[in-house]
Amino acid sequence: MVQEYKRTCYTCETVWHSLKSREEAIKAGASADAGQFFQPDGSARSCSYCGMCGGTVITMGNRGPDGDKAELDRLRSCPNCGSHNYFEEVRDQEVLE
């Protein structure tokens, strides 16, 4: 099971999703070695297609501590209006192989 955050913006009612394991890895300061998501050089590893990224893997450089904070802020902000005022629930997602 993969867990994700489902967030609903109180300002504009936009719904977005974020992988819980990704946020935990970033929060732990492990962006350069975040298990299944990043390689030691900070670039993204290939993953099984879940549809969240449209099937492309984006290569990222090593973000460092300030970049980690910015990435968490981005994941926790409404992608439509930028608000940080949202309702959050954790959902379990079945992984199809």
Side-chain angles (χ1 to χ4, degrees), residues 10-22:
Y10 283 126
T11 304
C12 70
E13 299 181 0
T14 296
V15 176
W16 75 99
H17 303 263
S18 178
L19 290 173
K20 185 176 179 185
S21 59
R22 180 179 181 194

Side-chain angles (χ1 to χ4, degrees), residues 64-86:
D66 292 337
D68 289 344
K69 185 176 183 291
E71 179 65 3
L72 268 180
D73 185 58
R74 185 189 70 79
L75 293 171
R76 295 175 177 172
S77 302
C78 175
N80 185 48
C81 71
S83 174
H84 289 88
N85 190 15
Y86 55 82

Side-chain angles (χ1 to χ4, degrees), residues 8-65:
T8 306
C9 180
Y10 283 126
T11 304
C12 70
E13 299 181 0
T14 296
V15 176
W16 75 99
H17 303 263
S18 178
L19 290 173
K20 185 176 179 185
S21 59
R22 180 179 181 194
E23 288 195 25
E24 288 173 351
I26 294 169
K27 194 161 85 171
S31 64
D33 187 23
Q36 63 183 349
F37 300 109
F38 299 102
Q39 296 184 45
D41 68 355
S43 62
R45 291 185 184 184
S46 61
C47 62
S48 59
Y49 180 72
C50 67
M52 290 182 66
C53 65
T56 58
V57 176
I58 300 168
T59 302
M60 296 178 265
N62 192 349
R63 294 186 304 261

